Amino acid sequence: MQNKTFYNEILTDHNLHPEHKHELENANFEMDGVNPSCGDEIRLKLRVDDGIITDGAYVGNGCAISQASADIMLDLIIGKTKEEAMRLSDIFLRMIKGNVTDEELEELEEASVLQDISHMPARVKCAVLGWHTMEEMFKEDKES
Ligand code: ZN
């Protein structure tokens, strides 16, 4: 299992060198997410073509966990279908609740380092902000 140092390294790396923190001109999905309890804000933008997430980015302000979690999520979901991204999000949210199998954890790749958040209730909303925002975005699409 990952140790504390590994967790901090990944979070720090995604904050110092976020790969997906930028504008996305040709996005066709866009949604704001806020976590008032910590002051985290993100605007998530995705480009979806034929049901596949071909590109994605976010801009925002907030704590290290909220921003790193969004960056890590985008790493994971770009190249996947919307359904696959929603399935991974479900696994992530269950991981935070401590209800996940080892096989599922492996599917989350780097996002699995955020498993420790389940022991820090005050930070849970930070960690899930990006994921909830994506879910809202795709749910709205289904209804329209
Ligand atoms: Zn936060």
Side-chain angles (χ1 to χ4, degrees), residues 35 37-40 62-67 122-123 125-127:
N35 169 24
S37 63
C38 178
D40 306 319
C63 69
I65 293 175
S66 68
Q67 306 299 301
R123 309 317 298 274
K125 284 182 181 161
C126 307

Side-chain angles (χ1 to χ4, degrees), residues 2 8 29-30 39-40 46 51 58-59 63 71 83 130 139:
Q2 293 102 357
N8 282 330
F29 281 84
E30 202 171 315
D40 306 319
L46 296 179
Y58 73 104
V59 289
C63 69
D71 202 55
E83 290 72 23
K139 271 180 202 156

